[in-house]
Amino acid sequence: MKRYVYSFGGGTADGDGKMRDILGGKGAGLAEMSKAGVPVPPGFTISTEVCNLFFENDHKVPKQVDEEIHQALDKLEKQMGKKLGDPNDPLLLSVRSGAKFSMPGMMNTILNLGLNDETTEGLAKKTGNPRFAYDCYRRFIQMFGEVALHIDMAKFDHIFDTRKAKVKAKLDTDLTAEDLKAIIADYKKLVKKETGREFPQDAHEQLMLARDAVFNSWNTPKAIYYRRMEKIPDSIGTAANVQAMVFGNMGNHSGTGVGFTRNPSTGEKVFYGEFLVNAQGEDVVAGIRTPQPIAELEQVMPEAYAQLRDITSNLEKHYRDVQDFEFTIEEGKLYMLQTRNGKRTGPAAVRVAVDMVEEGLISKEEAVQRVAPNQLDQLLHPVLDPAMRKGLQKIAAGLPASPGAAVGRAAFSSEDAVRLSTEGPVILVRKETTPDDIHGMDVSKGILTAVGGLTSHAAVVARGMGRPCVVGASSLAVDEAKKQATILFEGHKTVLKEGDWISLDGTQGEVYLGQCKTNEPDPKSHYFATFMQWADEFRGDFGVRANADIPRDAKAARVFGAEGIGLCRTEHMFFAEDRIPHMQAMILARDEKTRKNALKKLLPMQRKDFAGLFEAMDGFPVVIRTLDPPLHEFLPKRENVMVDLAKLPYASAKEKKEMAQTYGASVGELKKHLPELLKRVEELHEFNPMLGHRGCRLGITYPEVTEMQARAIFEAAVQVAKKGKKVIPEVMIPLVGSVKELENQKQLVVRVANEVLEDAGMKDLKYYVGTMIEIPRAAMTADEIAREAEFFSFGTNDLTQTTMGLSRDDYTKFSRQYEDLKIFKADPFAVLDQDGVGKVIEMAVKLGRKTRPDLEVGICGEHGGEPSSVEFCYRIGMNYVSCSPYRVPIARLAAAQAAISGHRKAEAQRTA
């Protein structure tokens, strides 16, 4: 018979650490610790499979599961010598979620389950500590009321804060037993008012309601949002962990804390975490009280601290990874409540991986696989400019929870952050964040909270998202209703209002008023350079190039390890202020001679650009795409020209001068120029520009445009080659759908190349002519096109649009519904649609290489820097991917992981 409930504790367990799919990360960790003899409060785990059965069975668990739960509870009661619901000596339980992958704060926890009016009195008598008993009961009603009975937490907080104010209690611990009894009475009235029934007194009913609440929390909006953000499958479900309670709130010899075996922000090998005396676990992570650094536990409870250091060090060696742990000390006795592989920032992940190789804990191959490719993005975050920050007013300081710099406008609620983010960068400023703030955190560049510690919700989630974060900035008094914060810092009072610019330093834990300049990080640091060297060893000869249009981007790409340029978009060069008039003159020309004269003025500019790219790449290939967009994109909008034409007779001298500057004409020419411009704009108007007169179609109808660009490319190549540098030009013809189109443009490019190279005495300079595959017909006739093309580069942005019949610009209007309904697994313009577009690409690669076995194949769309898309490109045999310069390290690592995975699969097949 299939099993659904697994017991643990007392040195034994039904499961183990390898059963994360079934027990979830938390349950697997508890089982493994139990088997290792670590002091773990006993309990049982209801498997992740039950969560799925719960939703399939109309939010009910099967009878077999209920029976297994009762059996596990009987076993737990015998282990503890207590019974659930016993009025004299009650067994109290915690019920916690725990999916395979960590989702901090996204799902529900209930503590002190089993308390009711009778058992609370029994607990008070048994412990001789009425305040402790009533504190546990009020916590339970509050937590259970929110999680299982769906009562707004703010209503409980209002009752609690009102009582604190009435008795002038500064801290929660200042409340007396009588105060807590009064709060409990008011809580119970609130429950009756909100639910229409008394607070549940049956402990077994409480357990079943808590279990169901944990499962239901799997599908709350915040949990769904987090899974989508972290790419966690919806189908895996969460386990529910039921555990005997141990109490950190029994007095000054008790406490609770969370920690990491290494610093999760920097990766430094230091014992890291926080604790609170006389508190329960939720107090630490919720930021209700600002906790103490874990190092101070050595002075407060030295024996427990020594035992904690010993246990956690052994756990790190056992799991060979950084451990994120939770513990409670009850009357001086230490209990471990959780261990799991710790979430960490990108910089920390890289440092830990390198350090653990050097410590002999893991291999280089394991190190390369330990870091998620997107985490590298965090190493490439900017930092506040040191000189400029000196001139800004420091308005707050807190704990450095997540590194990096963020500059943006202040928003005091998640809803406001989402709204303001459409207008520019935002910093979310909160008293403390809760899991409900996930959407606001996601759109914000940085996060600042007034309370909370390094393991608070804001800190943990920000680190996972790679957002700079400062927490515990106690000088902030946040007023969400007024959309402002009053800050008293170092004798100065500042009122920060919505929309004010602030600069955040998540590495130092500092906040400045104003908009600071940011500087780029150093990708040559020891840890990053070492790690990327290892990644490149496993990546082998699979190339990573960069999309770069100007020499500055090309130089940045080389710094990040790019091995060439996979896409230079020449049209971007024409939009410069000194070039657009010549481009417009070329477009407005009514004959070839006038058009060529305009192009002559552009040629030296393009030659200079290309020479800069060749020099920056110094021996690596440079793929240059000929003009791609329709000509109307270089002209003013039709509506603007019509308005200015209508205003012209009535315009002031100043307005006419501004018009003349806008249109690149003299004031006297405007009367003639504007009507001609409007006529040309209307002639070039297209109903569907994306599928209109653009790409190779422009080059065929205006061959002088392709000729000018080809001449600029090869004159630049000659110029750089004469300096002794190796140059590898690759000319890419866009939007080809027929081999005849490529044949036409290739003949022109080859003719110009041969003329330039022969005149320079460099006939041996090797170059290539290829095409961008971006429409389905090109993919379907790739065998024919490969007769002319020496390389293929897949333009997956347009190929996705044309294959799926989906506009990239318009998809955003309904993308949320499509992704919520699982019609699309992800945004197909961000993550390659391997089932559809991927099949088109794979077919084109096979057809192309059938004609030309040595065909070079790459990808240059946005997907070239997305890890799962890189893995696909590697798997189908492409030669390289190309992406933005700052995503080059991500692509390098993704390719290395794809190579390791491919090697392992091949080994498995060979040995099978």
Side-chain angles (χ1 to χ4, degrees), residues 850-881:
K850 186 177 178 183
T851 299
R852 190 186 290 264
D854 62 347
L855 183 72
E856 179 187 77
V857 179
I859 181 176
C860 61
E862 288 299 312
H863 302 100
E866 193 282 314
S868 68
S869 307
V870 173
E871 189 276 334
F872 169 82
C873 295
Y874 180 91
R875 179 162 38 87
I876 68 165
M878 285 193 187
N879 299 94
Y880 69 87
V881 295

Side-chain angles (χ1 to χ4, degrees), residues 353-381:
V354 173
D355 280 347
M356 285 192 166
V357 170
E358 292 174 351
E359 292 165 23
L361 281 175
I362 61 175
S363 66
K364 287 183 184 179
E365 182 178 304
E366 288 173 302
V368 167
Q369 293 186 294
R370 284 276 174 93
V371 181
N374 281 330
Q375 282 188 295
L376 294 184
D377 194 35
Q378 298 170 33
L379 279 86
L380 314 175
H381 281 311

Side-chain angles (χ1 to χ4, degrees), residues 39-54:
V40 172
F44 54 89
T45 299
I46 306 168
S47 77
T48 57
E49 296 167 303
V50 178
C51 181
N52 289 325
L53 290 172
F54 175 78

Side-chain angles (χ1 to χ4, degrees), residues 734-785:
L735 210 74
V736 163
S738 159
V739 67
K740 291 287 186 183
E741 291 173 314
L742 179 57
E743 195 176 86
N744 174 288
Q745 291 291 279
K746 182 180 178 181
Q747 286 175 358
L748 195 158
V749 170
V750 169
R751 175 177 61 77
V752 172
N754 290 344
E755 286 175 12
V756 172
L757 296 178
E758 190 167 343
D759 288 348
M762 290 188 174
K763 289 168 63 175
D764 292 335
L765 192 147
K766 184 67 177 169
Y767 67 90
Y768 302 87
V769 181
T771 187
M772 181 179 270
I773 304 290
E774 51 192 325
I775 56 177
R777 193 180 192 279
M780 295 170 73
T781 60
D783 50 345
E784 296 176 15
I785 290 173

Side-chain angles (χ1 to χ4, degrees), residues 602-741:
L602 287 170
L603 190 148
M605 299 175 182
Q606 286 249 286
R607 181 174 59 227
K608 182 181 177 183
D609 291 328
F610 298 146
L613 295 177
F614 289 135
E615 287 192 13
M617 283 299 113
D618 191 16
F620 286 111
V622 177
V623 177
I624 300 172
R625 182 178 71 186
T626 54
L627 191 64
D628 184 45
L631 295 179
H632 73 82
E633 286 194 12
F634 299 97
L635 298 177
K637 288 187 177 179
R638 176 175 174 269
E639 294 76 11
N640 295 346
V641 180
M642 291 176 71
V643 168
D644 286 342
L645 187 58
K647 283 169 57 179
L648 186 62
Y650 314 102
S652 65
K654 181 182 177 183
E655 288 172 329
K656 286 180 180 177
K657 188 176 180 181
E658 289 174 351
M659 282 188 199
Q661 288 176 336
T662 299
Y663 294 110
S666 68
V667 172
E669 292 172 332
L670 283 174
K671 190 173 180 180
K672 180 184 178 185
H673 180 70
L674 286 181
E676 289 179 353
L677 181 60
L678 179 61
K679 183 179 180 183
R680 188 65 172 136
V681 167
E682 288 178 334
E683 286 173 356
L684 292 173
H685 172 73
E686 294 181 302
F687 289 103
N688 191 347
M690 190 215 152
L691 299 177
H693 193 196
R694 53 168 285 221
C696 66
R697 299 160 192 172
L698 273 177
I700 290 168
T701 52
Y702 299 117
E704 54 271 22
V705 174
T706 303
E707 183 174 342
M708 180 277 289
Q709 291 198 296
R711 191 166 297 278
I713 290 168
F714 290 104
E715 286 181 0
V718 166
Q719 181 181 315
V720 175
K722 283 184 175 179
K723 294 179 181 178
K725 293 192 173 185
K726 186 178 180 182
V727 179
I728 308 176
E730 298 190 13
V731 183
M732 181 161 68
I733 310 300
L735 210 74
V736 163
S738 159
V739 67
K740 291 287 186 183
E741 291 173 314

Side-chain angles (χ1 to χ4, degrees), residues 66 133 143 147 200 243 361 388 520 590 602 678 686 736:
D66 272 333
M143 201 175 285
V147 170
Q243 208 170 359
L361 281 175
M388 191 171 180
E520 302 305 319
R590 292 294 179 178
L602 287 170
L678 179 61
E686 294 181 302
V736 163

